[in-house]
Amino acid sequence: MRAAPTILHLDMDAFFAAAEQASKPSLRGKPVIVGGLGPRGVVATASYEARRFGARSAMPMAQARRLCPNGAYLVPRFGFYRSISEQVMELLGRLSPLVEPLSLDEAFVDLEAGGVAWDAQSAREAGQRLREDIRAVTGLTGSVGLAGSKMLAKIASEEAKPDGLLLIEPGTERALLAPMPVRTLPGVGPATGEHLRRAGMTTVADLAEAGEDELVRLLGKAHGASLHRMALGLDDRPVVAERDTKSVSVEDTFDVDLHDRVRVMNEVGRLADRCVQRLRASGHSGRTIVLKVRRYDFSTLTRSETLRGPTDDPAVVREAAGRLLDSVDTTGGVRLLGVGVSGLADFTQEDLFAQAAGEREAVEEAAVEEETAPAAPEQAEAADPAERRWVAGHDVRHREFGPGWVQGSGVGRVTVRFETPTATVPGRVRTFRVDDPDLEPSEPLPLVAGPGDAETETETGAGAGEAGGAEGQVSSSSPASRPKSRSGPGSGSGAAMSRP
């Protein structure tokens, strides 16, 4: 335990939802829920406005829609969030060489190692400067906790939310922790919390008074002893700049249970390819292939196979995942599939490639034929716009109206709100046919205007009631005035947009 509060914990406020609100003026101050929009989707992040209605992270999306029917429901833009996270992590790196990222929106920083803080006053000043820098660079807010340990710094940032700073003075830890519920402590989940409640322990003070022996009896030696130390406010874990990745995995939940064995096999192959992409992006290879199958009755089966050495060959991972699938009965239906790789290393075992030599040679021959064959004119062009899936919340650009984002799509039409992050008022809504050649997917715009950026829009007008699609309906507010659209026939039909 440190004698000065020089460990900082940063947690961005409702990160995904806040980023969407910052990039979409019409959603500022409105309930926004980001996550999977299918019938089995789960909430990734809910804005603070949505939380007032009871929407929470990890909640089934169907439940969130019942609690907050007029919210804006958007599909995550992880590339966009990652770019903002990189800006934030760069600011943290200026404070100290010891930065321990926990996720895209959360990290520990050792201020003492960076020489920017040595007592409570200097730590508070460093935390305040960080919050100001984050707002200036990203336009978003983050909450900062400062304490003499990682556990307390994280608790402090949670207490400071939203957009606040809390410093826990060394020596006050036990008094602060005592009235808090046991779930406040790391490692106390719903099951452990219920177990402790049945034993008559509901607050951190109860754990401290129970003593180590009693907690060890209830929870086991390692967990019980660790929990007792935390209840006393003791945590000597250092900030670690680089945390070893233990595994890489991907999984998908399907809107409708899969019964076709061929379809299930194809999905496993697709997941294996995605998993290898992440594996390579992280600079790793792996020895153990893991298959996860959740069946129609919610029973979850996990199968694994350990190879002779680490690999990052997609064909090898596909073949191993296929063999694992052969040992699983999927006749009743499959609602979720996942493929992962563990036992990571930073090198590959070349002789493993022979396991997939035949398949790889066939792929290479097909690639050579494709490269040498003359490309047809229509093949050189972009995919048919009618085949595109216009995802709620994602960015688009129209040849006449400029940048915007998809409010919803369905029945052959897509509704777009044309606005930019730097606009001071909501933008105009227009509806187009999904095959409109003037409408294209686009990259996100910066949240903060740089030198030379265009003037922001200030003119208001009508159009909030224009039609939206069935998929991913979102709320609208009074939009800004823009030139009228040359939308296709029937552009005014479809489900009406709901209002908060």
Side-chain angles (χ1 to χ4, degrees):
M1 297 292 295
R2 299 190 178 187
T6 55
I7 292 182
L8 178 148
H9 181 261
L10 170 72
D11 196 354
M12 300 295 289
D13 300 321
F15 183 45
F16 295 172
E20 297 296 347
Q21 289 176 317
S23 67
K24 300 172 173 64
S26 57
L27 299 184
R28 293 168 189 169
K30 306 293 175 59
V32 174
I33 297 93
V34 179
L37 300 188
R40 293 175 177 170
V42 174
V43 175
T45 306
S47 69
Y48 286 98
E49 295 84 359
R51 295 180 191 185
R52 297 192 188 105
F53 292 88
R56 293 288 186 273
S57 299
M59 173 183 288
M61 190 62 77
Q63 182 181 357
R65 287 184 184 276
R66 290 193 296 270
L67 293 171
C68 187
N70 293 325
Y73 290 85
L74 308 176
V75 175
R77 297 185 292 165
F78 288 111
F80 177 52
Y81 309 146
R82 192 171 293 109
S83 66
I84 300 173
S85 175
E86 290 171 355
Q87 293 178 303
V88 173
M89 295 302 166
E90 182 181 353
L91 292 175
L92 297 182
R94 297 177 187 176
L95 291 176
S96 172
L98 291 183
V99 177
E100 182 178 337
L102 303 179
S103 62
L104 290 178
D105 63 336
E106 187 180 1
F108 287 111
V109 183
D110 188 334
L111 299 178
E112 185 178 341
V116 297
W118 50 91
D119 58 12
Q121 180 178 348
S122 57
R124 187 184 298 275
E125 292 172 354
Q128 188 58 40
R129 286 197 306 270
L130 174 64
R131 293 176 59 235
E132 294 170 356
D133 290 344
I134 289 173
R135 185 186 289 273
V137 171
T138 70
L140 304 180
T141 63
S143 296
V144 168
L146 294 157
S149 69
K150 291 168 68 172
M151 178 190 74
L152 290 164
K154 184 174 175 62
I155 290 173
S157 68
E158 186 65 31
E159 293 293 312
K161 282 184 169 294
D163 190 20
L165 182 150
L166 177 63
L167 184 148
I168 299 178
E169 292 278 2
T172 66
E173 297 92 351
R174 290 194 62 176
L176 176 75
L177 290 172
M180 293 184 174
V182 294
R183 290 286 304 276
T184 303
L185 300 180
V188 182
T192 302
E194 177 61 19
H195 190 50
L196 293 170
R197 186 194 66 79
R198 291 198 299 267
M201 304 177 198
T202 58
T203 67
V204 177
D206 294 335
L207 299 181
E209 292 172 3
E212 181 177 343
D213 292 341
E214 177 64 12
L215 293 178
V216 167
R217 186 185 68 80
L218 288 172
L219 305 174
K221 184 174 182 179
H223 195 187
S226 173
L227 195 58
H228 184 253
R229 284 181 54 81
M230 289 189 292
L232 298 177
L234 303 176
D235 177 21
D236 56 2
R237 293 174 300 160
V239 176
V240 182
E242 295 183 3
R243 293 167 33 140
D244 292 336
T245 302
K246 296 182 179 179
S247 65
V248 175
S249 64
V250 296
E251 63 181 41
D252 275 346
T253 300
F254 306 103
D255 293 342
V256 179
D257 290 349
L258 304 184
H259 292 85
D260 184 353
R261 184 73 177 186
V262 174
R263 169 75 188 281
V264 173
M265 179 64 78
N266 290 338
E267 291 294 337
V268 168
R270 183 178 59 83
L271 288 168
D273 290 341
R274 284 173 51 196
C275 183
V276 170
Q277 290 176 1
R278 290 192 180 183
L279 189 69
R280 290 179 170 177
S282 68
H284 291 94
S285 59
R287 297 184 67 238
T288 302
I289 313 303
V290 181
L291 176 71
K292 177 180 177 181
V293 180
R294 180 165 297 152
R295 299 188 291 189
Y296 69 98
D297 58 356
F298 287 88
S299 61
T300 302
L301 304 177
T302 303
R303 300 287 185 269
S304 64
E305 176 181 323
T306 300
L307 307 175
R308 294 191 302 271
T311 183
D312 63 354
D313 188 306
V316 173
V317 177
R318 277 197 303 271
E319 287 185 359
R323 289 193 296 272
L324 295 171
L325 181 63
D326 290 339
S327 64
V328 178
D329 179 12
T330 62
T331 53
V334 173
R335 61 182 291 121
L336 177 147
L337 288 170
V339 174
V341 178
S342 61
L344 302 187
D346 55 3
F347 64 95
T348 59
Q349 190 81 17
E350 295 296 335
D351 63 357
L352 285 174
F353 294 169
Q355 298 181 30
E359 180 178 349
R360 187 169 59 258
E361 288 174 3
V363 172
E364 291 172 352
E365 289 174 2
V368 171
E369 291 176 0
E370 184 177 351
E371 290 177 358
T372 56
E378 62 271 18
Q379 292 176 338
E381 296 177 358
D384 183 355
E387 299 177 356
R388 299 188 189 123
R389 181 171 178 264
W390 301 103
V391 181
H394 283 217
D395 299 273
V396 295
R397 178 175 288 274
H398 191 274
R399 186 174 302 174
E400 178 181 354
F401 301 108
W405 58 278
V406 176
Q407 278 202 315
S409 65
V411 293
R413 293 173 177 80
V414 55
T415 298
V416 178
R417 186 182 286 275
F418 292 99
E419 60 186 359
T420 63
T422 55
T424 57
V425 293
R428 186 67 178 266
V429 177
R430 291 296 182 187
T431 301
F432 308 90
R433 292 192 307 238
V434 295
D435 59 351
D436 190 320
D438 291 339
L439 190 66
E440 296 284 343
S442 178
E443 293 297 319
L445 297 174
L447 295 182
V448 177
D453 284 350
E455 294 286 333
T456 57
E457 302 170 56
T458 58
E459 190 179 26
T460 59
E466 297 205 26
E471 177 186 341
Q473 283 190 3
V474 297
S475 307
S476 62
S477 57
S478 300
S481 174
R482 299 297 297 265
K484 290 186 177 180
S485 167
R486 293 200 296 265
S487 304
S491 62
S493 63
M497 303 300 288
S498 59
R499 292 178 181 271

